[in-house]
Each structure stands twice: as structure tokens, then as C-alpha cells.
Amino acid sequence: VKMALLLALAVASCHAATITISNAGLAFDPTATQATILNRIKYFNIHSAPGSDVEWPSSDAHHFQTNLSAHLGRSFYVSYAMSQQTADPQRHNMVNISKLQAWCQGLNKFGNWNESNVDMIISSKVEAYYPTTGAGFIPDSHASSADFWVQYLRYCPLPTLQADTYCEVANECNVHTSEVNTTFQEMIDLHIAIGQAIHRELNTSNPHFKISGPTIAYPEYQIKNFTVWHSQMSPFIEQAGSSMDALSFHLYSTRNQDPNDVSPRAANNIEAILDLHSAAFQAYNTPVLPQLISEYGLSFRAKDVPYTFWNDWQQLYSINEKLICFLNHPDRIAKSVPFIVDRATWDTTANFTHPYPYVLWRKADNGTYIPTDMWLFYEFWSDVQGEYQWSEADDVNLGVVALAESGQLTIILHNHRNASTTAVLNSSISLGPWQRRRLIWNTTLQRATVTNDVLQSNTYTLAPFETAILRPFKSLPVVTPQLYTTWTDFSSLIVESLSPGQTASFSLTESHASAQLVSARLRLGFATFNYSTVPPTDVLSHAMYPCLSPTTVTVNKCTLNVDTTTMLAGRPRVDSGGNILTMLQIPLGVACLNDAQSVVKVQFPCDTTVTSVAIQKVSASQQE
């Protein structure tokens, strides 16, 4: 028998807001019959590989696996293997298979890591494919590159307990084409050749290897009136989508020259990117692929930065503000790997004051390695697990995920604002007091800290960018079980430019019966242009950003009310050209929806490009 509870969480800042959480179970596919369980190996990974006992001594490896439930998640295996191989003249400049086999058999594969804690994304660097930058075996054609991948995957990958192994053809190929004197179109062709060869040669009977691309960096699609989108990701999805098993890319916030100035990539910017990707597959009549975020976090515009606790804190909250979004889309996210690495001995200055910013250990002045505060990411999330529970916020400035396991409710909150946000816990059943874990910037210690305490009151103020885990001491009551199921319908019309005052219509076909809908939300992705003012650090100002508020939004016969203070989260990301790509998430009455098809009409006061239009729905049913 399942347990069900209805919990309301109100967020009070300058206005009241409510999050509703139900311990009734949540499925992310209308055909599912059971609630979805959070898969830790999809989210709590280290951008590191096993096999090096220098970088992963047994005590550290044991701690991260046993106490922190962390996993190793990505390495550039293929490009390194290429550098160690030679061609076989008898095979028309294909790789020497016997030498490759012998080399792979001699590798120290797991080191001090257990097979169950290793789930590697097998990746390759662009430069390995070209003679001006590669070494060892250098393919002379796409067919030669594809053959190397086939032979490598046939003889060399680590054993795995996972059903799938994700493979990336070329890391960040959109920013490395000039280095190897090639074009993005050639990168598309390379992906197609490798994807088709692996599907043909290896995956006919056992589709284990999942090929992904284009692993792009900086998805600033809106730059130069969407030139980046039209020249890179759009043609990739249209041409190579059917040859891929996942769409891969990287997501970074950017710290500018001023250490206190971060251009965030979080919340609604990420939601807009995820929706544009999904809608594009539908627009091109290609099966929608899961999305693989093989790097995410915070990048530093200034190079060779000195180590500070502030650097680590900015990375930690930049990771968490993205992770809270990924956790809410387990149906779309194949895997995500925060860019946190081990010791990074390759990038240490002589005086040890400027280590690689993303390390778990940095080298101290005495030559020993000491932990950085990046450990806190894994310590904070170490025991988060359970079945998803339905949670819905009407203020997207507060990200929320709800889980339950064996009667224990877990609520995860993230404050997207650089300002305090007060939460009030309301419930028809008394659940307090609460166990509370917080990841915050400690103003006294001047560093990030994880604290554990008891929250006696149902009123709770989250600090700027805080992430918190709340668990009631009481177990949940047993009642009649319910299953909530969520799915999203997309319009096939994407990246549609609108003049000021122009109305555009978007049709969405209902993909599942909606008679038992309990909740719906319009997801409106769009871009506005030519902002010359740096946005505020905490909340949106309508006076400063009138273009972010549409003049009219209707769904069928319903006119929707739009409040940017609750439907746009945090500080908007403004690119170097002054453009903003974001999303409005607008609550929608289920009575507004038609059974077969819905029509959304939008109008903006400024030049705007609507990138995607979707309706997210939740239905309820009884569980056996």
C-alpha cells in the first residue's frame, strides 16, 4: 500500500506563493504503471576516470563510493586511445586491431573503484581526428574514424552494470572547427558516419552503445538573430538526429572579470534550451532523443584565477541551480555530469596558488594535496534517493523536488534568487519539526558550508542561492494510493520571429487522454534582444525589462495572466550582444484545454523570437 499526503509550501518574499507536493508517486511517461525512482548514477557523478591509483588512492575512492554514493562519469578514452595506436596498411589505413586489443588488455581499468560506481561517458576530442593536431593513429576519412570507434567499442570499454553506455563523437566540436581547419557541416557528417557504423556493426542485436552529439559548448542560440541555432544545432538535429541516440551539450554559467559578477545559465534559460531541443525533433519529424549534459557548472572568463573559497561557492550554487532543473526532467535527461574533476595535476602553477578551478583536491604549498570545498557537493547530496512525488511551484524562483522512501518524505529546495526567500510550510497533517540540511555561503567563515539542524517552525528563510533538504521526523500516513503522471506536448512551430504587436498562433496536438488532468502549465520559450543594461542581481524589474512580459497569451478561449515576478526565475542570462533567451512557465486551468488540439496565441510589445511552445500536463489515477 502506498502513502499519500498533500503538502503545501508557501514562499513569502514580496508576495505569497505556494508549492503543492503529494506523496502519491510520480511517473514521467503516460504508459508507466509505477512511480519513477531517482537514479543517482544519472546525476551524482565526477568528471573523472578510474584506473589511476595516484589520483584515486584507496581511502578517497572508498569514501566517495561508500559514504557519498558518488560515481565516476566521463573521460576522453577514444582520443587518448588513438594517440597510442598505429594504422594497419593491410586495412587501407584503418587501425591495427591486434595492437589495439593488446593495448586495451594492458590497461589498469578500475583501480580502486568498484564496477557498480563507474558509468563512463566515452568521449573524444576533436583534434584527434586531424593530422595538424592529432597523434598516433590519425584517421584519413570519416570511414576510418568510424572503424576506429567500432573496434574500440568492440574490444576496449570498461565492463558496466548499466544497460547503456553513452559515447560522444567530438567534444565541443562547435568551438574547435577553426583549430583543425574544418566546418561544422563536416562535424555533422562525422557524427553520422560514426553513429551509423556503430548501429550497423555493434548494435544490431544488443543496442548497448548510445551515440551522442554534437556535444556543443555555449548554446547561446539567440546570438545574431539565432545564427548559432541555424548554423549548428538545428542542422545537426535535422541531418544527424536519426543517427544519434542522445543529444549532448554543455551548460555553464560564466563568471566575468569581476569575481562578483556571474552571468547565470539557470532556471528558465535552461528550461528554454531543453524545450527547444525537444520541440526541434518534433519539427523535423525525428524521434525525440534524450539529452546528455556531459559538462555543466561555472566557467571563468579570467584565466589562471587564484584559489579562493568564493570560487568554490560560486561553482557549487551554479551546479545546484542547474541540477534542480535536471532532477525535474528524468524523462528527458539521459545523464548529467557536473564539471568537478579530481586532482588535475596537469594544470598546477609552481607556487600552487592558482590551481585548476574545478578540482576536488588542490596542491598546497608544502606539496601535499588538500580537499577543496567542491567536496561539499557530494556530501550534501549523499543520501538523496527515493520515488518521485508530484511537486508544483507557482513561483519558479524556488526550485523544488519531492521524493519519498519507506515513509520518509524528502523535500529539496533551491533558491534561484540572489536574495533571501521566506518559505512557509503548510499541511493538513502536522509533520514538523523538520530535519534540515543547508548548503549556504557562511558569512562568518567566508566559505561554503553544509549545516544540519532542526527546523522547529514552519517558517523558513532561505539564504541567497541556498539549497536545502527538509525531512519531517514523522513518517507519512498510509492512505489510498494515487499515481500522478506528467508529460509535455510541443508545437512543431519553433524559432518564430514576431514584430511588436504581431500575434502568432501555435497548435499543439494532445498526445494522451486528458480527462483526469489535475494540473497544467504553459511553457513559453522566447528571446528578446538588444539590452544594454546589466540585469539586476535578485529580481526582475518590469520597468527595466518590459519586453519580457507578453501583451497577450491565450490558450484556446482562455486569456492567461502573466506575472514575471513568479513565472521568470532569478536573474536572466544576457549574452554579449544584450540578448536574453528565457521561458515563462504560466499556470493553466485544465478547463482551458481541448481534448484533441489546443491553440496558443501570443503577442509581445517588442521584437521577439518565440523559440518553443509546450503544455506540461499532470493526470491522476489510482495505483494497484
Side-chain angles (χ1 to χ4, degrees):
V1 179
K2 295 281 184 179
M3 293 151 290
L5 167 73
L6 194 64
L7 174 73
L9 173 62
V11 183
S13 49
C14 56
H15 52 80
T18 302
I19 294 174
T20 304
I21 301 171
S22 173
N23 186 35
L26 178 62
F28 293 85
D29 182 340
T31 62
T33 57
Q34 295 185 7
T36 301
I37 298 175
L38 185 143
N39 182 1
R40 288 190 57 88
I41 209 164
K42 288 177 65 170
Y43 303 106
F44 304 111
N45 303 290
I46 305 167
H47 196 284
S48 179
S52 173
D53 293 342
V54 174
E55 296 189 2
W56 282 106
S58 59
S59 58
D60 293 330
H62 176 80
H63 178 63
F64 271 83
Q65 294 174 90
T66 304
N67 301 325
L68 304 184
S69 299
H71 306 84
L72 298 185
R74 186 176 186 239
S75 186
F76 299 106
Y77 281 131
V78 170
S79 48
Y80 177 67
M82 281 187 185
S83 72
Q84 304 299 305
Q85 303 308 309
T86 59
D88 184 349
Q90 303 302 316
R91 297 185 66 239
H92 306 288
N93 201 35
M94 303 296 183
V95 68
N96 187 314
I97 296 176
S98 59
K99 182 178 178 181
L100 176 65
Q101 281 184 274
W103 180 80
C104 289
Q105 290 172 0
L107 294 176
N108 180 7
K109 295 192 174 183
F110 282 105
N112 287 315
W113 280 79
N114 301 318
E115 186 175 341
S116 58
N117 287 82
V118 177
D119 181 41
M120 302 304 296
I121 297 173
I122 299 173
S123 193
S124 179
K125 297 182 178 181
V126 173
E127 53 264 34
Y129 296 102
Y130 295 92
T132 56
T133 52
F137 172 75
I138 300 174
D140 65 354
S141 64
H142 292 336
S144 179
S145 299
D147 177 76
F148 186 92
W149 268 93
V150 167
Q151 305 308 332
Y152 180 89
L153 294 180
R154 182 171 281 155
Y155 300 113
C156 301
L158 296 177
T160 179
L161 300 179
Q162 307 307 310
D164 301 318
T165 295
Y166 285 95
C167 307
E168 293 177 321
V169 171
N171 180 60
E172 297 189 341
C173 61
N174 62 321
V175 297
H176 292 295
T177 52
S178 61
E179 299 172 12
V180 295
N181 193 29
T182 190
T183 64
F184 194 79
Q185 181 60 52
E186 184 179 334
M187 290 291 100
I188 294 175
D189 296 338
L190 176 66
H191 279 79
I192 293 172
I194 291 173
Q196 291 181 350
I198 291 171
H199 291 153
R200 181 180 62 250
E201 301 293 333
L202 298 178
N203 281 4
T204 303
S205 59
N206 181 21
H208 169 63
F209 296 110
K210 303 297 184 183
I211 312 308
S212 69
T215 322
I216 67 167
Y218 313 116
E220 298 283 18
Y221 296 140
Q222 71 283 356
I223 287 179
K224 298 181 180 178
N225 197 23
F226 282 83
T227 297
V228 173
W229 170 256
H230 290 302
S231 63
Q232 295 179 7
M233 188 60 93
S234 176
F236 183 90
I237 292 174
E238 186 173 14
Q239 298 176 45
S242 60
S243 300
M244 297 289 104
D245 302 295
L247 190 74
S248 58
F249 53 99
H250 296 164
L251 291 171
Y252 283 97
S253 300
T254 304
R255 195 180 86 174
N256 299 306
Q257 298 292 341
D258 179 354
N260 294 311
D261 181 19
V262 172
S263 298
R265 186 182 295 286
N268 288 331
N269 175 260
I270 290 178
E271 299 288 352
I273 291 171
L274 295 179
D275 272 22
L276 177 55
H277 290 164
S278 295
F281 283 105
Q282 180 167 314
Y284 300 139
N285 294 314
T286 301
V288 178
L289 297 182
Q291 302 185 43
L292 180 70
I293 301 100
S294 56
E295 291 182 22
Y296 72 94
L298 176 71
S299 65
F300 293 79
R301 193 174 298 278
K303 303 303 179 184
D304 197 30
V305 295
Y307 177 78
T308 65
F309 295 136
W310 184 245
N311 296 352
D312 287 351
W313 164 241
Q314 289 177 314
Q315 291 186 79
L316 288 166
Y317 78 69
S318 294
I319 289 170
N320 279 346
E321 66 189 2
K322 297 168 183 58
L323 177 59
I324 201 76
C325 296
F326 303 156
L327 289 171
N328 273 303
H329 295 292
D331 52 333
R332 294 204 223 178
I333 305 301
K335 189 178 179 69
S336 63
V337 182
F339 195 67
I340 302 174
V341 303
D342 42 52
R343 295 171 193 264
T345 55
W346 66 85
D347 199 74
T348 307
T349 56
N351 61 5
F352 310 121
T353 59
H354 293 59
Y356 199 50
Y358 314 99
V359 292
L360 287 166
W361 295 268
R362 64 184 181 92
K363 206 169 188 178
D365 292 341
N366 62 6
T368 61
Y369 282 94
I370 57 176
T372 68
D373 284 350
M374 298 308 294
W375 277 52
L376 296 180
F377 173 78
Y378 301 99
E379 292 178 351
F380 179 80
W381 292 98
S382 61
D383 61 353
V384 170
Q385 57 190 9
E387 290 185 349
Y388 276 95
Q389 312 303 302
W390 179 51
S391 58
E392 186 175 67
D394 64 3
D395 184 347
V396 294
N397 286 287
L398 193 68
V400 59
V401 174
L403 304 164
E405 183 180 47
S406 302
Q408 174 67 69
L409 176 68
T410 297
I411 301 172
I412 305 160
L413 304 175
H414 178 78
N415 182 12
H416 285 296
R417 298 178 58 209
N418 188 20
S420 298
T421 300
T422 299
V424 180
L425 300 173
N426 297 313
S427 174
S428 58
I429 301 173
S430 176
L431 288 175
W434 303 79
Q435 302 172 73
R436 178 175 62 175
R437 182 184 306 159
R438 309 173 70 195
L439 177 53
I440 57 174
W441 175 253
N442 189 308
T443 55
T444 301
L445 298 177
Q446 288 293 293
R447 68 187 300 180
T449 56
V450 172
T451 64
N452 293 278
D453 59 14
V454 175
L455 178 65
Q456 297 288 352
S457 170
N458 283 350
T459 300
Y460 167 36
T461 299
L462 284 83
F465 300 131
E466 175 180 344
T467 310
I469 297 172
L470 301 177
R471 294 185 173 106
F473 283 93
K474 296 180 180 180
S475 296
L476 298 178
V478 177
V479 298
T480 304
Q482 274 192 314
L483 176 68
Y484 285 75
T485 302
T486 182
W487 70 95
T488 304
D489 293 325
F490 294 91
S491 170
S492 59
L493 184 60
I494 61 172
V495 193
E496 183 76 1
S497 297
L498 304 182
S499 302
Q502 177 186 351
T503 299
S505 296
F506 301 83
S507 297
L508 297 88
T509 301
E510 172 61 60
S511 58
H512 302 283
S514 57
Q516 298 180 358
L517 283 182
V518 296
S519 176
R521 179 177 293 190
L522 177 67
R523 297 168 61 87
L524 178 60
F526 65 99
T528 60
F529 309 101
N530 302 319
Y531 282 92
S532 59
T533 310
V534 176
T537 59
D538 52 0
V539 294
L540 290 165
S541 165
H542 180 75
M544 184 177 290
Y545 300 104
C547 296
L548 296 178
S549 296
T551 308
T552 304
V553 179
T554 64
V555 177
N556 299 320
K557 296 181 179 180
C558 296
T559 299
L560 306 187
N561 295 319
V562 178
D563 176 12
T564 56
T565 61
T566 61
M567 299 174 191
L568 285 169
R571 175 183 173 184
R573 179 178 178 87
V574 181
D575 64 36
S576 58
N579 311 307
I580 296 173
L581 173 61
T582 189
M583 172 181 284
L584 279 164
Q585 300 184 60
I586 309 171
L588 174 63
V590 297
C592 296
L593 300 175
N594 295 331
D595 289 339
Q597 188 177 67
S598 290
V599 176
V600 177
K601 295 183 179 181
V602 298
Q603 182 187 105
F604 281 85
C606 310
D607 287 323
T608 302
T609 296
V610 176
T611 54
S612 63
V613 176
I615 297 178
Q616 183 178 14
K617 305 170 184 178
V618 179
S619 66
S621 61
Q622 295 297 116
Q623 288 195 97
E624 295 293 332

